[in-house]
Each structure stands twice: as structure tokens, then as C-alpha cells.
Amino acid sequence: MKSRIFYSSLLLTGVNLLLRLISTSFQVYLSGKIGPEGIGLLHLLLSVGGLAMIAGAAGVRTSAMYLTAEELGKGRKHNVHWVLSGCTLYSLVFSVTVSMGLYCFAPVIAESWIGAPEIFPAIRIFAMFLPINCLCGVMTGYFTAANRIRTLAAVEVAEQLTFMGTVFSLLTLWAGSDPLRACIAVVVGQGLGSCFTLACLWVLRLRERTAAGPRIPIAGRLLKIALPLAAADDLKAGISTGENLMVPKRLALYEGTQSPLAAFGMVCGMVFPIMMFPAAILFGLSELLVPELARCAAVGSRKRISYLVGRCLHVGLLYGCACAGIIFLTADGLCGAIYHTGAPAPYLKAFALLIPMLYADSLIDAMTKGLGQQTACVRYNILTSAMDVGLLFVLLPRFGLHGYFCSFFVTHFINFCLSLRRLLRVSGYAQSATQPLLTLLAAAASMAGAALAVSPLVRAFGFLGIFFCLLCLLGVVKKADFQWARALVRGK
């Protein structure tokens, strides 16, 4: 079981890194093609699309994953047919309804929300593909819970290549440097990629030819999981979208901002992709933790739950600190090499300091969902998102992007603390404060020492060397950790 999670996570990690590399490279290409203002406009469009997507999905992906894992964990493989049937019908009802509303109100949304009336055709195209996107969530949830990771990984790579090829062709042959046409190209590329994914996964599911058992009542279990998730996710997404739409408008009131849309695009479209690129390694693990912990909870394996929680928290913090140090120390070189400008570097350095918290929080969120605490997670997210809107409304006109950073830190820190407390309570794992504090102190000391070097490459490797030595000296990394890692690699 341990080696299965390790190798599945390793496969997902490789795929996620490849996809993130492709995505980041494409983001750089788009930035050079349409500029920061065009990236800002695209981000606003995708924020609105993301809200519609979450409303249309209505929590179905997590529900499909959780219910499938529960049936498989109890050895009832024949019931998965009814799980997928119920999830598909549920998804169609919600996604088609949202799609029709988005299509009809596209001109109003473009003018009143985004502030760019000419972008409504892109919104309507997104609306037409929306049911396909939501049905993909049902199938990816099933394949993840069934541990069909290789299949899912291959399809995801093919989807990304389809998306990239479509968008690149449209930009080259039709859109050029026009921001509006570039937005349409991205939406069409996403839609065709989703069509490809749904077709592949549906055919693969049909080829399994698993006999369906007697009909079981699935509606009650599905609605019990999906509706609270849907309501909370919709509220959270609505707040988040409102926040994104508000940021350029409130930034315009700060006297030091020349182009609010460009400033917003620089942070969201240039800083965040670099900052979150290494997190692809954790996303593979996060995807597997939800069904794995759901299976453990279904059979009452409390010891394994506690083990997984402790090991993931330890590894997540170590990895987050390592990535934070490297990105902080090489921010100027990274921005110069990738974007050919040093403008995003100060903001990348600031946000890099938050990476240990953000990376650990992604694992915590997955583990709490796997233990059936979806409602609590969403409640925390809604609370902190609402706080974020209030803080941004007050801070942006007075402090500009510095106010954005302050609000980001405060709300994510509160969310992290609440989620961690919930996880420790339901898992039964006793987390000592000594190890995390020693890890953070070792990372800070290593960054201070490595910063004395002139070359970015020397700073990065120097940081890793100092950090590793300090972790061993402080007892954060012990001989048992090396034995555990060696056993994983050998499949023991």
C-alpha cells in the first residue's frame, strides 16, 4: 500500500511538473504576445469563467472521488456504475442550467463585471463548453479514486497538448497580439481540450465492462456530500471572483499605480506561476491523499491515518522551505531569464516567504477532505475569502500592491491555522511545535548565509547545502527518515 501511493504520487508528480512547465512556458509566451494588460484582462475573464465552472460542477468531482473510493474501499466494485450514473445526471442538471444563464447574461457580465464590453463573445464560447468541462470532473474523480493514475496522467498530457496546439495555432493564424482574440483563443483551446479528455475517459470506462450490481440509492449520499460543497464552493468562488474584479478598480485609486490592470496581471500572471511551479510535486500527492484517507476512514484504520498525516506534514514543510529559499535567493535571475524584466522580482521575493505555509496548506486541505471534513474546509475558506475582500477594499487604495500582499498573508495564515487545527483533531495525530519551528529557523539561517554569495546558482546550491546540514544537526531529519525514503524507493 505504501509503495503504491509512492509510485502513483511519483507518476503524478512527473506529469504535474511537465504540465506546469508547459503552462508556465505558455504563460511567458502569452505575456510577451499581449503584454501585462492583456494578461490582466485574460485573468479577469478566467476568474468569471472559474466562478461559472464551480457553480456548474457543484461539488461533483470531489463527490465522485469520495463515493467511488468508499465503494472500492468496502469491496463493492459493482456499485461504482450507479455512483457514476448519479454523478453524471447531477452534473448535467447543474452545468446546463449555469451554462444557459452565462450565455444569456454574457453582455451584462462583460460590461458591468469585467469592464470590457467587447469580451462577451469569449464568455459565450466558454458557456457552450461548460457542461463538457463539468462532466470531465466526474470522470477524473472516478479514475483518481480507482487509482488509474497512469491512464489519467496520459490523458491529461494529451489534453494539455491539444490546448496548447489549438491556442498557438489560433494566435499565429488569427489572433496575433489582439488581447480580445487571444482570450477567445484560450477559451476555445480549453474547451477542445476538455472535449478530448471526456471522450478518452468515457471510452476507457466503457472498455472496463464492469458488471453493474442491483440498483442502489445513491441520490441521498451524493446530495449529502455535493450540495454543502456546492453551496460553499459557490460562495467562496463568488467572493474570490469579486475580489479579482475589485483589485484593478481599487488599485486605480492608489496614486503610485500607473496601470492597475498591468499591475494586477504582473502579480497574478507572472509572480504566481513561478511561485507555485514547484508545488506540482505536492499536487500529485494531494490528489492521492483524498481517496486514500477516505478508504482508511471507511475501514477504521486510525493508525495509518495518523501515520500519513504526520509524514505528509513533515515532508510538506521541508519541501516548502527548500523551495522558498531557492526562489527568494534567485528571484532577480528568474524574472530576468523568464520575462526579460526585473519588475516582478521584488514581489516574487515577498511572496516566496509564504511558500512553506502555502505548500503545507495544500496537503492539509487534501487530508481534511479525505477525512470527510469538506464542510469545515469550505467554511474556513469562505470566512477568509470574505476577510480578504474587506482588507483589499481598505488597503489597496492606501498601499497599492503592498496592501495586496498584506491581505494575502493575513487571510492565508488564518486559513492555515484553522485547517491544521481541524486536521489534528480528526486524525488524532499529535503535532509537536518543536520540529516546525526548528525547520523554519534552519531555513531562515540558511537563506541569510547563502545570500552572501554573488552568483544566483551558488546561492541556490549553498542554501540547500546549509539547510540540509542544519536539519541534520538540529535533529529535524534523522536516520529513520533516510531509512523510510530508501524503503519507499525499493518498494518495501
Side-chain angles (χ1 to χ4, degrees):
M1 180 73 73
K2 187 189 300 183
S3 61
R4 187 188 71 182
I5 293 181
F6 173 73
Y7 287 114
S8 297
S9 178
L10 198 63
L11 177 60
L12 275 181
T13 293
V15 172
N16 282 329
L17 279 175
L18 176 61
L19 295 179
R20 187 58 64 90
L21 179 61
I22 294 173
S23 177
T24 303
S25 302
F26 186 67
Q27 190 79 21
V28 173
Y29 168 73
L30 271 181
S31 300
K33 195 80 174 177
I34 61 178
E37 289 193 16
I39 291 294
L41 180 63
L42 177 62
H43 191 78
L44 294 180
L45 169 66
L46 295 180
S47 294
V48 173
L51 172 60
M53 181 75 176
I54 290 174
V60 74
R61 185 180 186 277
T62 301
S63 301
M65 186 189 305
Y66 191 86
L67 290 173
T68 300
E70 198 171 50
E71 294 300 329
L72 294 177
K74 294 181 179 180
R76 301 190 299 232
K77 189 176 181 179
H78 53 278
N79 288 342
V80 172
H81 170 80
W82 301 112
V83 170
L84 293 181
S85 298
C87 290
T88 298
L89 179 60
Y90 174 89
S91 178
L92 284 173
V93 170
F94 278 88
S95 62
V96 171
T97 302
V98 173
S99 175
M100 293 173 61
L102 184 64
Y103 188 93
C104 294
F105 290 99
V108 177
I109 293 172
E111 183 174 1
S112 303
W113 292 16
I114 300 179
E118 68 279 3
I119 207 171
F120 84 90
I123 300 177
R124 284 188 165 172
I125 294 172
F126 187 93
M128 290 188 288
F129 285 114
L130 182 61
I132 303 296
N133 289 327
C134 295
L135 287 175
C136 283
V138 176
M139 298 309 298
T140 56
Y142 160 72
F143 275 85
T144 302
N147 202 35
R148 299 282 301 278
I149 304 304
R150 291 185 179 181
T151 301
L152 194 58
V155 172
E156 286 181 350
V157 171
E159 177 190 359
Q160 190 70 12
L161 293 176
T162 303
F163 162 70
M164 294 280 293
T166 302
V167 177
F168 183 78
S169 300
L170 289 174
L171 288 175
T172 303
L173 301 175
W174 174 66
S177 299
D178 183 84
L180 172 61
R181 291 190 173 189
C183 290
I184 294 176
V186 170
V187 171
V188 172
Q190 286 183 338
L192 292 180
S194 297
C195 290
F196 175 84
T197 296
L198 181 61
C200 289
L201 294 181
W202 199 262
V203 169
L204 290 170
R205 167 60 185 168
L206 292 176
R207 289 181 63 183
E208 292 179 2
R209 297 178 181 177
T210 303
R215 179 183 288 274
I216 60 171
I218 200 69
R221 293 166 60 196
L222 173 60
L223 295 177
K224 183 179 179 181
I225 298 173
L227 287 183
L229 273 177
D233 283 350
D234 290 347
L235 181 57
K236 179 193 171 185
I239 295 173
S240 179
T241 302
E243 171 191 324
N244 287 332
L245 297 174
M246 177 188 69
V247 168
K249 297 177 181 179
R250 298 301 290 175
L251 269 178
L253 301 178
Y254 178 64
E255 59 182 13
T257 303
Q258 296 179 348
S259 176
L261 199 57
F264 179 64
M266 181 178 66
V267 172
C268 296
M270 300 171 81
V271 170
F272 285 172
I274 296 178
M275 181 180 74
M276 298 307 294
F277 175 77
I281 290 180
L282 295 180
F283 291 158
L285 179 59
S286 299
E287 278 286 295
L288 296 171
L289 282 173
V290 175
E292 179 63 23
L293 287 173
R295 282 190 286 265
C296 291
V299 299
S301 182
R302 303 295 300 176
K303 183 178 180 181
R304 179 161 175 76
I305 290 173
S306 180
Y307 169 80
L308 285 173
V309 169
R311 184 58 68 181
C312 289
L313 289 177
H314 182 56
V315 172
L317 181 59
L318 290 176
Y319 180 71
C321 287
C323 293
I326 292 174
I327 292 176
F328 180 86
L329 294 168
T330 61
D332 294 297
L334 284 173
C335 291
I338 296 174
Y339 300 116
H340 307 293
T341 175
Y347 301 103
L348 180 58
K349 288 182 179 180
F351 280 100
L353 298 176
L354 307 184
I355 284 178
M357 176 181 69
L358 298 176
Y359 285 16
D361 191 51
S362 68
L363 292 177
I364 292 171
D365 185 68
M367 289 188 284
T368 48
K369 287 179 179 177
L371 293 173
Q373 300 297 308
Q374 295 93 336
T375 304
C377 289
V378 175
R379 186 167 64 244
Y380 300 151
N381 290 334
I382 291 173
L383 171 65
T384 52
S385 295
M387 290 178 57
D388 201 24
V389 171
L391 287 172
L392 288 173
F393 188 86
V394 174
L395 296 177
L396 285 176
R398 299 181 183 180
F399 304 105
L401 288 178
H402 297 292
Y404 184 90
F405 173 81
C406 179
S407 175
F408 187 94
F409 167 70
V410 171
T411 54
H412 281 76
F413 179 72
I414 293 174
N415 187 289
F416 171 78
C417 292
L418 292 174
S419 300
L420 178 60
R421 188 184 67 167
R422 169 68 64 167
L423 175 64
L424 297 179
R425 180 183 299 174
V426 298
S427 68
Y429 177 72
Q431 173 67 62
S432 170
T434 305
Q435 267 201 345
L437 287 176
L438 289 176
T439 303
L440 293 174
L441 287 174
S446 303
M447 289 168 64
L452 300 176
V454 177
S455 168
L457 193 61
V458 175
R459 286 200 294 267
F461 282 101
F463 164 77
L464 289 177
I466 299 172
F467 186 46
F468 177 75
C469 292
L470 287 177
L471 291 176
C472 294
L473 289 173
L474 294 172
V476 176
V477 174
K478 303 175 182 178
K479 184 179 180 180
D481 294 308
F482 293 106
Q483 294 173 341
W484 168 79
R486 188 165 55 249
L488 277 181
V489 174
R490 293 178 177 177
K492 295 182 180 180

